[in-house]
Amino acid sequence: MVPKEALLELERAVGERWVLKDPIQLISYESDALSLTRSTPDVVVLPKDEDEVIEVVKICRKYGIPITPRGSGTALSGSAIAVKGGVLLVFSRMNRFIELDEENGVAVVEPGVLTKEVSDIAKMRGLNMYFAPDPASYEVSTIAGNIAHNAGGPHCLKHGVVSNYLLGARVVLPDGEVYEVGGKALERPGYDLTGLLLSSEGTLAIITSATLKLSKVPEGTRTIMAIFDRMDDAAQAVSDIIASGIIPSALEFMDHLTIKAVEEKLKVGYPLDAEAILLIEVDGLKDGLDVLADRIVEICKRNGVREIKRARSEEERELLWRGRRGIAGAVGYYAPYYLLEDGVVPRTKLVEAMKKAREIGEKYGFIVPNGCHLGDGNLHPYIMFKDLDEETKRRVMEAGDEILKACVELGGSVSGEHGIGISKKELLPVIYSKDDIEVMKRVKRALDPDGLFNPGKIFPD
Amino acid sequence: MSGVSIDRRFRLESYAVDGVIPKMVLAPEDLDDAIELVSVASREGLSITPRGSGTKLHIGAPPKRLDIVLLTEHLNEIVDYEPEDLTITVQAGVRLAELDKLLRKHGQMLPLEPPYYDLATVGGTVASNYNGPRRMGYGAIRDLVLGMKAVYSGGILAKNGGKVVKNTAGYDLKKLHIGGFGTLGLITEVSFRLYPIPEDDRSLYVTFKSMKEVKRAIDRLNRSPLLPTAVEVLDKGVQGKLSSFSRVELPSADFAMLIRFEGLRVDTEREMMDSKDMLMGGKVEVLDGGEHERVWTGIREMQRIAEGCIVKLSYPPSLILEAFKTVREFAEGKVESYSHAGSGVQYVFVDEEELVKFVLRLRNEFDGREFYCVVERAPTDVKKEIDVWGYERKDLKLMRIVKKALDPMGLFNPGRFVGGI
């Protein structure tokens, strides 16, 4: 797949040390967080700056070698796996913080900077600003990866997703040229290429620097945990909260199975017999916070809440969140392996979607605990399984597909925040018609006529 | 096919764009009609210019061709409204004012604020990406749109996005249509995210002797924890227009800031108090109730109120001081201007005799820097003397590629967009 001449040129471009071709080294790059799929690239290349990225793209273009960009490889969709071999372009060395523009509230960073680092560095430099999107992986995932998937996280309902904070970028396209799209100005004439190119899961453009919008750190937060005996009561409480005009900054939901696993493993103080736990957070100006929190508590009480816990300090807030953040580890209580699905439905249908997910799991013989970003209808069913044989894996994926189809039937989509990658491309026709997909393909063909960038992703075969 | 222009309602001259009279004016009865119309037009190689109420059609280069003006007036259904989900899906011909009436009944709002608001349609507002002052607090149109349906050349109806806030499936094509001025396809339907109407809504009007003082005030506001939903800067001329339109006596000064606060009363009261101290301006007026509403309507409708040509500037917000200074200098004081300071967008009202010289001088001064200067309104003969968009960045090449991919025959609004697209 990678002819010797190409390999030599790559080594000359980034230095021999930064081109990995030993099969043993390549194994660590064979999958991302979608561990059910593995595929090794022919070679891993680690560029140090934009010029090297341009060189690598030009070389791959010359030899017709596919390129798969990769940050930390935490993608849950398989989009960072080199399914057609070729070059895996890894950005771990491109992790400089290029510019912090306080006046404009903008950060310019290289693609390998970790998403949480953006906020950490802003804070360190004395700015009372942060990068609002906080996908669960944000301590290890790279900003480019999160941009490429238009990542979300628990604070989306109020604060939006990554694309709402992406002002522009420098990108290298399959033609081997670098372009600057967008910028610090919030408006400009012409087509909004930033949105199109950047959240394309690396299939249209490779990011060499990103211009991000920062937000003021909220003056305060109030975090409330509400424990319910019935899922429907919890769902109604949420509806009432939204109807009252409150937009919580986070609204997380854990069902009985999740609660049990978290409590057994992490001992955070959850009652083992609760049917539903809501983690509700409001943020904003300090004077109104208690007003909002009181209203929320009152609404929960009106809906038969069993118990309310209010965080009175940052430590208490951390404790309340620890359970929610620990779900991925805790579900191991049920079985050693899981397939994490990412469906989204209108919020009013979320409880129904969760019940359906459980039912479908039962049908296939799997336990399916659910942790959800209730605020924006994003559910995360964990399909738990014990064996790694092909038959089980097949049934697990079938169960997953059926759950996602159920989400679509309820008016939602097959991907809330994890992206399509490989894992969901055969499902794309469930939410998009042939014409919908064809229009997207036209753009792909026009910008990447040779199919160089991240082949095998997004579009069904 | 229904809607063929035998209907005498459509006097073709009244649908002219920059003096170019269309060959046909057609109003498809529904979505299927619209699809068929685009299909036939594609087969016959006829150009298509979508039109809602036509309030933004003057924006852009004079058309090369105007075969069909396609009216969206019958694509006016509310497709789906889920107040509990804070989302709504409407067809492109729905007027913003109608939409607002519906949303208010449920205590909700969609913060879109283009001028000619009472006439503006969803499709036109989205296609022209006409954001208003509250973009600062609520996001731009690209942040409010969740999904879209459009008819492409050949009569292909395609959807992008959905009705949910989070959606990462496939390419974000809808963004191309937002601000695409109808050059890629006919937008037929848009899904938006909504906001609850805040409990309280009031503003502060503060005068300043110089732009330097204004900039200092803006910086202080930015560094504070306060969360204004709009920050406007007005020069003397615009202040005057605003005062007379809104029938509110606003103190006149070289410059004034207008700041809006929305949310819980306990928060807006605190914000008003804190900003009065922090801004260190001259005279201060507190606006609420009817006065506050009329003033913000005035700001929203300023392009309609002001006479003369309109130049729209956009730049990183930190450049505001330099922008105002340079504008003033180059127009030798013969301008009126205001800006959505929170978004780095500035409108300059200038006489037609000065326009070309002024714009060329500005573009030259800021050449190589992020500073866009668009001629938004001018007589046709003046528009012909200049590239109204003035967009020359390298990514124009990519825009041409996208245009070619989605409208290969160049049927949609040919010649009106950046780079002659």
Side-chain angles (χ1 to χ4, degrees):
Chain A
M1 204 13 123
V2 176
K4 211 174 70 192
E5 305 79 45
L7 196 55
L8 285 172
E9 287 192 43
L10 287 172
E11 286 175 341
R12 228 176 298 137
V14 304
E16 212 184 309
R17 166 167 186 223
W18 301 111
V19 176
L20 311 180
K21 41 197 195 289
D22 184 336
I24 301 205
Q25 291 173 307
L26 296 179
I27 289 180
S28 24
Y29 294 98
E30 68 176 356
S31 89
D32 58 20
L34 178 72
S35 46
L36 288 180
T37 306
R38 283 152 209 277
S39 178
T40 25
D42 289 297
V43 85
V44 169
V45 177
L46 297 109
K48 83 163 189 298
D49 58 28
E50 181 180 282
D51 286 333
E52 288 189 1
V53 173
I54 296 173
E55 261 315 294
V56 172
V57 172
K58 285 193 163 128
I59 294 167
C60 289
R61 196 173 134 83
K62 177 169 159 191
Y63 292 94
I65 303 170
I67 302 179
T68 300
R70 179 182 174 106
S72 302
T74 56
L76 285 153
S77 56
S79 43
I81 304 176
V83 291
K84 307 267 190 217
V87 166
L88 188 69
L89 196 58
V90 178
F91 289 93
S92 14
R93 294 173 69 210
M94 288 179 68
N95 58 359
R96 287 184 316 134
F97 206 98
I98 300 171
E99 184 193 351
L100 188 59
D101 179 347
E102 176 171 357
E103 237 183 320
N104 284 305
V106 164
V108 183
V109 298
E110 281 193 327
V113 169
L114 305 184
T115 301
K116 182 162 186 285
E117 276 177 341
V118 179
S119 300
D120 290 345
I121 292 183
K123 184 171 179 196
M124 238 168 50
R125 304 235 188 129
L127 226 63
N128 196 26
M129 302 193 91
Y130 77 128
F131 184 62
D134 61 343
S137 60
Y138 76 149
E139 283 176 329
V140 289
S141 51
T142 60
I143 188 65
N146 285 144
I147 289 171
H149 290 78
N150 193 18
H155 290 90
C156 293
L157 176 62
K158 180 170 185 195
H159 293 294
V161 291
V162 169
S163 67
N164 301 124
Y165 296 89
L166 185 56
L167 296 179
R170 288 179 66 86
V171 286
V172 178
L173 257 62
D175 65 0
E177 297 273 327
V178 67
Y179 297 86
E180 186 148 353
V181 294
K184 289 182 185 179
L186 298 177
E187 249 182 67
R188 66 187 48 70
Y191 297 129
D192 183 350
L193 294 174
T194 308
L196 170 72
L197 297 177
L198 275 92
S199 41
S200 67
E201 297 183 26
T203 60
L204 293 178
I206 289 176
I207 304 165
T208 51
S209 95
T211 301
L212 310 170
K213 184 168 87 170
L214 301 174
S215 328
K216 292 189 187 187
V217 173
E219 217 177 11
T221 51
R222 292 290 183 272
T223 309
I224 295 166
M225 176 175 298
I227 300 165
F228 289 85
D229 288 317
R230 293 174 30 174
M231 264 172 52
D232 290 327
D233 288 342
Q236 190 57 50
V238 169
S239 287
D240 291 350
I241 289 170
I242 307 263
S244 76
I246 300 176
I247 301 189
S249 52
L251 199 48
E252 300 288 285
F253 184 105
M254 285 171 278
D255 70 357
H256 169 73
L257 290 171
T258 311
I259 295 166
K260 185 154 193 281
V262 165
E263 187 51 28
E264 293 287 356
K265 284 266 184 172
L266 302 175
K267 309 256 179 282
V268 287
Y270 292 177
L272 287 170
D273 60 340
E275 261 296 305
I277 289 187
L278 284 181
L279 196 55
I280 308 164
E281 202 162 82
V282 286
D283 69 17
L285 296 171
K286 61 178 162 41
D287 296 300
L289 290 174
D290 285 320
V291 172
L292 293 177
D294 290 344
R295 284 188 197 169
I296 288 171
V297 168
E298 201 256 297
I299 289 171
C300 288
K301 288 190 174 149
R302 243 179 24 219
N303 282 284
V305 72
R306 178 209 289 196
E307 188 189 338
I308 296 267
K309 287 194 197 190
R310 286 170 84 144
R312 301 268 170 221
S313 67
E314 187 54 38
E315 292 76 41
E316 283 182 24
R317 175 177 180 251
E318 259 309 295
L319 200 60
L320 292 182
W321 271 97
R322 191 176 306 165
R324 170 64 189 91
R325 293 207 193 270
I327 290 179
V331 290
Y333 171 76
Y334 293 112
Y337 310 109
Y338 65 72
L339 174 65
L340 172 60
E341 280 298 358
D342 163 49
V344 67
V345 294
R347 192 176 10 85
T348 43
K349 301 282 193 289
L350 195 75
V351 169
E352 201 181 327
M354 279 194 287
K355 287 180 180 166
K356 265 227 120 57
R358 269 218 303 245
E359 270 166 37
I360 292 170
E362 271 164 30
K363 187 174 95 178
Y364 284 83
F366 303 120
I367 296 181
V368 183
N370 265 291
C372 312
H373 305 304
L374 182 52
D376 42 53
N378 190 194
L379 68 156
H380 288 309
Y382 290 77
I383 305 172
M384 311 303 307
F385 60 100
K386 298 194 187 46
D387 308 297
L388 284 176
D389 58 282
E390 288 311 311
E391 172 62 22
T392 306
K393 283 204 272 188
R394 192 188 55 78
R395 276 184 26 250
V396 166
M397 297 212 259
E398 246 179 69
D401 283 359
E402 214 178 296
I403 290 173
L404 292 180
K405 284 187 185 140
C407 287
V408 175
E409 261 160 55
L410 289 169
S413 179
V414 300
S415 172
E417 55 186 3
H418 295 176
I420 297 294
I422 311 165
S423 61
K424 308 226 190 131
K425 62 180 191 178
E426 303 305 329
L427 284 175
L428 207 62
V430 175
I431 47 163
Y432 282 137
S433 72
K434 253 178 61 211
D435 285 340
D436 299 337
I437 295 177
E438 178 55 30
V439 173
M440 291 191 248
K441 277 184 167 170
R442 278 196 209 164
V443 171
K444 167 70 170 170
R445 281 195 294 262
L447 292 172
D448 187 10
D450 300 320
L452 273 183
F453 281 16
N454 219 356
K457 309 295 166 61
I458 300 184
F459 299 111
D461 297 317
Chain B
M1 173 178 67
S2 63
V4 175
S5 75
I6 299 173
D7 189 333
R8 242 166 269 127
R9 268 197 311 149
F10 302 135
R11 284 184 49 247
L12 299 177
E13 300 80 42
S14 50
Y15 291 89
V17 177
D18 276 320
V20 180
I21 299 176
K23 296 205 176 97
M24 284 174 265
V25 175
L26 304 174
E29 294 287 319
D30 55 29
L31 180 60
D32 287 329
D33 236 20
I35 293 172
E36 212 203 314
L37 200 167
V38 174
S39 200
V40 170
S42 305
R43 267 204 314 274
E44 303 297 317
L46 297 170
S47 80
I48 300 168
T49 291
R51 184 188 201 275
S53 302
T55 58
K56 311 296 177 304
L57 264 182
H58 59 280
I59 305 176
K64 289 200 177 116
R65 299 162 54 186
L66 204 64
D67 297 330
I68 301 172
V69 166
L70 192 163
L71 305 182
T72 59
E73 64 183 55
H74 299 304
L75 298 175
N76 60 357
E77 280 177 30
I78 306 289
V79 176
D80 188 21
Y81 177 26
E82 300 290 344
E84 282 194 34
D85 285 327
L86 289 172
T87 60
I88 192 165
T89 302
V90 296
Q91 285 193 318
V94 168
R95 293 201 176 172
L96 298 187
E98 287 300 311
L99 181 51
D100 188 55
K101 258 200 289 213
L102 170 63
L103 296 175
R104 277 188 185 275
K105 286 200 205 120
H106 295 264
Q108 297 185 339
M109 66 170 184
L110 175 60
L112 293 177
E113 315 165 278
Y116 301 92
Y117 181 83
D118 53 329
L119 293 169
T121 62
V122 162
T125 306
V126 169
S128 62
N129 190 30
Y130 219 108
N131 294 288
R134 283 153 107 200
R135 178 234 191 90
M136 183 181 186
Y138 291 99
I141 291 172
R142 70 195 297 276
D143 302 309
L144 298 170
V145 171
L146 301 176
M148 186 185 289
K149 283 193 182 155
V151 181
Y152 295 84
S153 138
I156 313 256
L157 174 73
K159 157 185 102 178
N160 191 256
K163 296 180 183 179
V164 287
V165 173
K166 264 165 149 166
N167 201 335
T168 60
Y171 292 159
D172 201 355
L173 292 180
K174 59 189 184 313
K175 294 247 164 52
L176 295 174
H177 292 275
I178 302 171
F181 281 86
T183 55
L184 295 175
L186 168 72
I187 297 171
T188 55
E189 188 180 299
V190 185
S191 298
F192 294 100
R193 65 156 300 161
L194 303 169
Y195 283 90
I197 294 176
E199 178 184 288
D200 195 34
D201 185 358
R202 55 179 72 201
S203 43
L204 212 59
Y205 177 93
V206 189
T207 62
F208 292 89
K209 291 204 209 72
S210 72
M211 264 312 285
K212 231 182 180 161
E213 283 178 27
V214 169
K215 178 67 165 67
R216 241 181 274 142
I218 290 175
D219 286 340
R220 259 181 243 121
L221 200 53
N222 283 344
R223 279 197 298 269
S224 79
L226 305 188
L227 300 169
T229 55
V231 174
E232 305 285 290
V233 174
L234 326 172
D235 76 2
K236 203 172 230 168
V238 171
Q239 290 162 29
K241 287 183 159 51
L242 186 59
S243 277
S244 30
F245 174 87
S246 61
R247 289 161 4 253
V248 177
E249 264 200 62
L250 298 166
S252 170
D254 281 332
F255 296 98
M257 271 178 78
L258 188 55
I259 305 161
R260 188 167 185 168
F261 295 108
E262 300 174 65
L264 294 177
R265 187 155 303 129
V266 69
D267 287 327
T268 56
E269 277 176 358
R270 171 267 181 113
E271 287 178 288
M272 296 281 281
M273 237 169 40
D274 284 3
S275 28
K276 270 191 232 165
D277 296 330
M278 155 189 333
L279 296 174
M280 294 168 39
K283 303 219 181 67
V284 175
E285 287 285 316
V286 168
L287 299 167
D288 56 18
E291 289 192 338
H292 159 92
E293 262 184 58
R294 293 199 305 274
V295 162
W296 287 99
T297 299
I299 292 283
R300 186 190 74 204
E301 297 294 329
M302 195 50 67
Q303 289 81 5
R304 188 179 195 169
I305 298 166
E307 286 147 1
C309 301
I310 303 178
V311 176
K312 173 179 171 180
L313 309 175
S314 54
Y315 44 79
S318 61
L319 281 187
I320 189 173
L321 180 52
E322 205 178 332
F324 266 85
K325 219 172 101 227
T326 315
V327 161
R328 191 109 140 194
E329 193 193 311
F330 286 2
E332 290 146 24
K334 285 184 283 183
V335 286
E336 292 172 338
S337 179
Y338 79 109
S339 102
H340 303 317
S343 331
V345 170
Q346 182 176 352
Y347 290 94
V348 183
F349 306 109
V350 58
D351 287 334
E352 65 179 79
E353 300 85 52
E354 313 294 327
L355 181 84
V356 174
K357 202 175 70 195
F358 173 72
V359 169
L360 291 177
R361 212 175 155 195
L362 259 185
R363 285 179 184 167
N364 188 50
E365 177 71 16
F366 288 96
D367 188 32
R369 296 168 68 183
E370 251 198 292
F371 190 95
Y372 305 97
C373 189
V374 172
V375 175
E376 196 174 277
R377 183 173 80 197
T380 305
D381 54 313
V382 173
K383 279 210 234 173
K384 288 187 174 155
E385 291 178 50
I386 191 173
D387 172 2
V388 298
W389 299 102
Y391 191 81
E392 287 168 358
R393 283 168 90 198
K394 188 177 175 186
D395 64 350
L396 182 55
K397 177 171 161 202
L398 301 177
M399 296 183 191
R400 293 190 200 286
I401 292 176
V402 166
K403 166 74 174 181
K404 192 101 222 296
L406 297 178
D407 181 18
M409 291 190 287
L411 294 180
F412 283 95
N413 265 334
R416 299 210 69 200
F417 204 38
V418 295
I421 288 176

